[in-house]
Amino acid sequence: MTPTTETMVGIGGAAESTDMVLNIGPQHPSTHGVLRLKLVLDGELITSAEPVIGYMHRGAEKLFEARDYRQIIMLANRHDWLSAFSNELGVVLAVERMLGMEVPERAVWLRTLLAELNRVLNHLMFLGSYPLELGGITPVFYAFTEREELQHVMEEVSGGRMHYMFNRVGGLKEDLPAGWTTRARTAVADVRSRMDRFDDLVLGNEIFRGRTRGVGVLSPAAVHAYGVSGPIARASGVDLDLRRDEPYLAYGELADVLKVVTREEGDCLARFECLLEQTYHALDLAEACLDRLADLPPGPVNQRLPKVLKAPEGHTYAWTENPLGINGYYLVSKGEKTPYRLKLRSASYNNIQALTELLPGTLVSDMVAILGSMFFVVGDIDK
């Protein structure tokens, strides 16, 4: 009989499940920004999630206090670098409200047009980058092709590709180049004619739908609790859009064209569908603005300003429906040429906080799908 040896191995506490802390990021600045997610895992399951922000903090709100009302437009331009025109717009609307200033009608319609073109540019970036994060590389090439078409007309009118610096207190920097509206109309039509690629390549892809349907469901209660806005909120059935509910610029006259896209599911797929459908409607609004501009007589696009611009003592709040959600500026003036306080309420800052409720209870493999569907820019968080 062959002798046998028995060995007892004590495994102690390792036999029990042990929470593991996993850091996602901070990533390199060449991404959408530097964000860190601190996840606590039980095996493959996320039990808690904490977004850690501040890696890109540039102190913009303090810098506002040391710049005059012409210079702060440059600072506001950059927090959401995919929505630069819309960022500028909120600042000048706040200052114009403080001054009680009326903007020429031509400038109002031009601002509305450029804001919607900027909305399309923003959405195209996420329509391409989200499938890329889930492993599909082709849509991002199509997205950048369409972005280039619109970037050409935005660059022609403003001189900038990302940071347009085209808004001014009292209107716009200058009038349109000769023949620009014709080229803009052609670009809008060309982009619209090719948008069905995203329906076919992405929404029609069963792998994409499998990775996103029923994943990362955000409830309407959580939307209200965290102040989530924009396409993310509307994908959860929260029907709020400032362009319709508190019209500014020329949106009050575009009520028959403006459509607010909503979904009820609140999952990753619903958020992507909202973003895609809203892109179509932004192109509709841009065409309506071009039609109205064609009917307007030639006229000024700005107001003459004093050499030193001072806002009267007081305070005001101006909010706009930016591509990623509600963007607001709370302006306090002591009657000087610089703001006493300019507080920024950015869309991404609120939207990203909902991750603390979205991620727990999901698998690590679904984390990328959920994170990508929140459509945020980190510069818009770290102010």
Side-chain angles (χ1 to χ4, degrees):
M1 180 176 180
T2 307
T4 59
T5 303
E6 293 184 1
T7 305
M8 292 291 293
V9 179
I11 56 177
E16 303 172 7
S17 62
T18 304
D19 287 344
M20 180 177 73
V21 177
L22 177 67
N23 282 293
I24 306 295
Q27 291 97 351
H28 190 274
S30 66
T31 65
H32 278 316
V34 184
L35 174 73
R36 173 184 164 213
L37 280 179
K38 183 181 176 183
L39 306 179
V40 178
L41 306 180
D42 180 5
E44 289 286 319
L45 195 69
I46 299 171
T47 58
S48 73
E50 178 190 355
V52 183
I53 65 174
Y55 291 95
M56 292 189 65
H57 181 57
R58 293 160 289 177
E61 290 185 356
K62 291 304 291 181
L63 291 173
F64 286 146
E65 299 170 13
R67 304 292 189 277
D68 67 34
Y69 288 108
R70 292 179 174 91
Q71 294 169 327
I72 59 175
I73 300 172
M74 181 275 295
L75 291 170
N77 185 286
R78 284 161 164 75
H79 58 85
D80 174 1
W81 46 78
L82 295 178
S83 310
F85 187 86
S86 302
N87 299 340
E88 302 170 12
L89 193 58
V91 169
V92 295
L93 288 176
V95 178
E96 288 162 3
R97 186 174 296 173
M98 289 285 283
L99 294 168
M101 180 181 289
E102 289 289 331
V103 176
E105 185 181 15
R106 186 171 174 79
V108 171
W109 282 96
L110 273 174
R111 281 178 171 178
T112 311
L113 166 62
L114 295 171
E116 290 306 313
L117 292 178
N118 191 196
R119 192 180 309 276
V120 176
L121 284 168
N122 175 289
H123 290 357
L124 281 169
M125 175 63 80
F126 290 105
L127 291 173
S129 68
Y130 186 36
L132 179 64
E133 289 161 5
L134 295 180
I137 193 171
T138 306
V140 76
F141 295 125
Y142 288 124
F144 270 86
T145 299
E146 309 313 328
R147 276 176 56 84
E148 278 301 308
E149 185 107 17
L150 294 175
Q151 285 283 27
H152 286 320
V153 294
M154 292 293 281
E155 185 177 6
E156 182 186 0
V157 75
S158 67
R161 284 181 59 83
M162 284 188 69
H163 304 300
Y164 306 109
M165 280 301 297
F166 198 56
N167 276 290
R168 295 292 186 272
V169 176
L172 295 169
K173 177 186 173 185
E174 57 197 6
D175 207 344
L176 302 174
W180 182 86
T181 53
T182 302
R183 291 187 287 278
R185 192 182 294 275
T186 301
V188 168
D190 288 348
V191 170
R192 183 198 302 282
S193 69
R194 296 188 291 263
M195 283 298 295
D196 58 353
R197 290 168 170 172
F198 295 98
D199 293 280
D200 299 336
L201 276 176
V202 185
L203 286 182
N205 187 295
E206 62 184 37
I207 299 175
F208 178 83
R209 299 183 77 87
R211 289 288 307 274
T212 56
R213 185 191 284 121
V215 175
V217 177
L218 183 65
S219 68
V223 167
H224 293 300
Y226 288 96
V228 175
S229 59
I232 300 172
R234 293 192 283 273
S236 296
V238 178
D239 190 2
L240 172 66
D241 191 314
L242 294 180
R243 295 174 297 171
R244 178 200 62 197
D245 301 328
E246 288 197 20
Y248 58 97
L249 295 181
Y251 290 113
E253 299 181 49
L254 292 169
D256 56 333
V257 182
L258 176 62
K259 295 181 178 64
V260 179
V261 183
T262 60
R263 293 288 188 276
E264 297 298 326
E265 296 82 0
D267 57 9
C268 295
L269 181 60
R271 290 191 278 275
F272 186 87
E273 287 177 343
C274 272
L275 201 73
L276 179 56
E277 194 172 338
Q278 188 168 289
T279 307
Y280 282 106
H281 294 321
L283 292 169
D284 292 339
L285 288 167
E287 279 191 347
C289 291
L290 285 165
D291 291 340
R292 182 57 189 269
L293 282 167
D295 296 334
L296 288 178
V301 294
N302 49 40
Q303 297 274 24
R304 286 185 62 87
L305 300 177
K307 188 173 183 179
V308 178
L309 181 64
K310 294 183 178 181
E313 189 168 346
H315 60 92
T316 190
Y317 183 69
W319 58 351
T320 55
E321 187 69 39
N322 268 31
L324 297 182
I326 293 175
N327 189 80
Y329 293 97
Y330 178 58
L331 172 62
V332 182
S333 172
K334 289 292 184 74
E336 301 296 330
K337 65 178 183 179
T338 61
Y340 177 75
R341 183 79 170 93
L342 187 58
K343 176 72 176 72
L344 167 60
R345 188 268 190 221
S346 61
S348 299
Y349 182 82
N350 286 72
N351 291 355
I352 204 68
Q353 305 308 314
L355 288 172
T356 59
E357 185 149 332
L358 266 182
L359 290 176
T362 64
L363 298 173
V364 176
S365 56
D366 289 330
M367 182 270 300
V368 174
I370 296 170
L371 189 62
S373 73
M374 296 307 286
F375 310 131
F376 61 89
V377 170
V378 179
D380 205 34
I381 301 169
D382 295 343
K383 305 184 283 284

